[in-house]
Amino acid sequence: MRAGRLIAIVLLMQNNGKMTSKALAEKLEVSERTIIRDMESLSEAGVPVYAERGQHGGWVLSEGYRTNLTGMHTDELVSVLVASHSALLGDLGIEGQYDAAVQKLLAASPAEVSKGAALARQKIHIDGAGWHQMQELMPLLSVAQEAVWEERLLRLRYQREDGEAERIIRPLGLVAKRSVWYLVGEIEGEMRTYRISRLLGAEVLAERFERPSDFDLAAYWEQSVGEFKQRLPQYPAKVNVLESVLTRLSKERYVKIIESQPSGQEGWLTAAVEFQGLESACEIILSYGSRIVAIEPAELRSRVMEEARAINIHYGLQ
């Protein structure tokens, strides 16, 4: 434990320059007294560390001194790539490697890590602009992860509208959309995407496959998301909306504000809007209560009025 902490101190100072005992103690979760003892040990071991006194003082490594630590592990490198998505570290079982990975990566020369970094970026892509926040059970994530890293065929079972289906795929990568994980694979020359939480079964097979050298996971995902959005149904409508809630409305998942202009009533705007469909439009408008009024099309206005009457009946108002 102490040897690891001494190495961590050297790496922190190498990467950050001058650091106070307090900053090091907070980073390593020990006392300042412990840091002082560690500095004495480093000095005795020949590490050129010294203290600068004064208001802006701190511990410093002699100029030009650098460690020659190697041994960057794959999971440590992957943990760096997903570090800003800490919940994902637990999903992949690599949360313990984060701090060590950051320091090793910063201390190592680009030549030593570039090959591994390029490979990791091809095998995992983090899309932070999620659909919406949710927590999912993903017992098969570790199985999919193993198949991706080992480049082995993966047998999947999943539910389709006409019943269960089974496929053997070449797993090429994992994509995290916020807390939702997807598996990207290839079957007979076609790319497929599977939501891992919805898989019924997964088995890593012994047979290996050769990963396509020209496959770019991030590019594929962006293209796939773009095509998905284009396939979404578009339902044009016109609404009157309080000016104060227009920004919030524009951030709704399936709402696009085309244009808006003053309605002639103080504080209100008339907006041309695209919803996903009639049902979605009705639900969103009702969720804003009296702050949004459906104008067109007539079927949307009628649907909202019917739902409003039904609500009044439930509350005994009609």
Side-chain angles (χ1 to χ4, degrees), residues 123 141-156 169-173 183 202-205 207-209:
K123 291 194 172 183
L141 176 59
S142 61
V143 181
Q145 182 185 356
E146 178 186 353
V148 169
W149 293 131
E150 297 295 328
E151 297 182 350
R152 296 182 184 273
L153 296 182
L154 184 64
R155 178 182 285 116
L156 299 179
I169 72 168
R170 297 198 298 169
L172 300 179
L183 171 65
E203 177 188 358
V204 180
L205 304 182
E207 183 179 349
R208 293 181 179 273
F209 66 91

Side-chain angles (χ1 to χ4, degrees), residues 23-24 40 77 210 266 273 297:
L24 287 166
E40 293 174 353
L77 186 54
E210 184 175 350
E266 186 176 355
V273 183

Side-chain angles (χ1 to χ4, degrees), residues 62-316:
S62 293
E63 185 175 353
Y65 177 82
R66 295 192 66 81
T67 62
N68 188 29
L69 291 178
T70 58
M72 173 68 76
H73 298 292
T74 301
D75 352 346
E76 291 179 341
L77 186 54
V78 175
S79 74
V80 174
L81 297 179
V82 299
S84 61
H85 305 268
S86 58
L88 306 180
L89 295 174
D91 292 342
L92 294 173
I94 55 176
E95 64 270 36
Q97 287 82 11
Y98 171 62
D99 282 334
V102 170
Q103 300 309 320
K104 286 184 180 180
L105 184 59
L106 293 174
S109 67
E112 295 176 15
V113 299
S114 59
K115 184 177 180 180
L119 178 61
R121 290 191 184 99
Q122 285 299 313
K123 291 194 172 183
I124 185 167
H125 170 63
I126 304 301
D127 184 340
W131 311 119
H132 51 279
Q133 291 285 58
M134 63 179 66
Q135 296 296 324
E136 297 192 324
L137 297 177
M138 296 169 292
L140 299 176
L141 176 59
S142 61
V143 181
Q145 182 185 356
E146 178 186 353
V148 169
W149 293 131
E150 297 295 328
E151 297 182 350
R152 296 182 184 273
L153 296 182
L154 184 64
R155 178 182 285 116
L156 299 179
R157 285 192 304 109
Y158 58 96
Q159 187 70 42
R160 300 198 314 186
E161 292 183 1
D162 56 351
E164 286 189 18
E166 184 174 291
R167 294 287 186 273
I168 294 178
I169 72 168
R170 297 198 298 169
L172 300 179
L174 297 170
V175 175
K177 187 77 169 172
R178 291 285 177 90
S179 58
V180 181
W181 283 91
Y182 296 88
L183 171 65
V184 176
E186 183 265 330
I187 305 175
E188 299 178 351
E190 293 187 7
M191 301 302 303
R192 303 288 179 84
T193 302
Y194 301 89
R195 187 162 171 163
I196 291 180
S197 63
R198 294 178 180 172
L199 294 176
L200 302 177
E203 177 188 358
V204 180
L205 304 182
E207 183 179 349
R208 293 181 179 273
F209 66 91
E210 184 175 350
R211 181 184 178 83
S213 60
D214 60 347
F215 177 69
D216 186 320
L217 179 61
Y220 163 77
W221 180 256
E222 294 304 320
Q223 179 183 349
S224 179
V225 169
E227 292 174 351
F228 170 77
K229 289 181 177 179
Q230 289 179 356
R231 292 194 299 269
L232 289 176
Q234 296 180 348
Y235 188 83
K238 182 181 291 185
V239 299
N240 281 346
V241 55
L242 275 176
E243 187 174 358
S244 59
V245 301
L246 184 65
T247 300
R248 177 184 161 191
L249 178 65
S250 68
K251 294 179 180 179
E252 291 281 352
R253 183 181 177 189
Y254 293 126
V255 175
K256 181 179 180 181
I257 307 296
I258 306 301
E259 63 178 1
S260 63
Q261 58 187 14
S263 68
Q265 184 179 357
E266 186 176 355
W268 287 77
L269 299 172
T270 297
V273 183
E274 282 187 358
F275 295 98
Q276 185 186 12
L278 175 61
E279 294 292 336
S280 176
C282 183
E283 291 177 4
I284 291 172
I285 290 173
L286 287 170
S287 72
Y288 283 82
S290 61
R291 293 170 291 178
I292 296 181
V293 179
I295 306 300
E296 298 176 358
E299 65 170 355
L300 174 60
R301 183 176 175 85
S302 297
R303 186 62 171 272
V304 172
M305 292 171 64
E306 289 173 5
E307 292 294 330
R309 280 194 292 267
I311 292 172
N312 283 335
I313 291 172
H314 284 306
Y315 283 94

Side-chain angles (χ1 to χ4, degrees), residues 17-77:
K18 184 191 305 179
M19 295 188 71
T20 64
S21 295
K22 180 180 180 181
L24 287 166
E26 290 177 350
K27 183 69 176 176
L28 299 173
E29 298 182 345
V30 295
S31 67
E32 292 185 43
R33 185 182 298 273
T34 297
I35 294 297
I36 293 173
R37 288 199 299 265
D38 287 343
M39 291 302 183
E40 293 174 353
S41 298
L42 287 171
S43 181
E44 291 172 0
V47 177
V49 58
Y50 62 94
E52 287 188 353
R53 307 296 180 183
Q55 182 178 1
H56 302 292
W59 294 101
V60 183
L61 282 171
S62 293
E63 185 175 353
Y65 177 82
R66 295 192 66 81
T67 62
N68 188 29
L69 291 178
T70 58
M72 173 68 76
H73 298 292
T74 301
D75 352 346
E76 291 179 341
L77 186 54

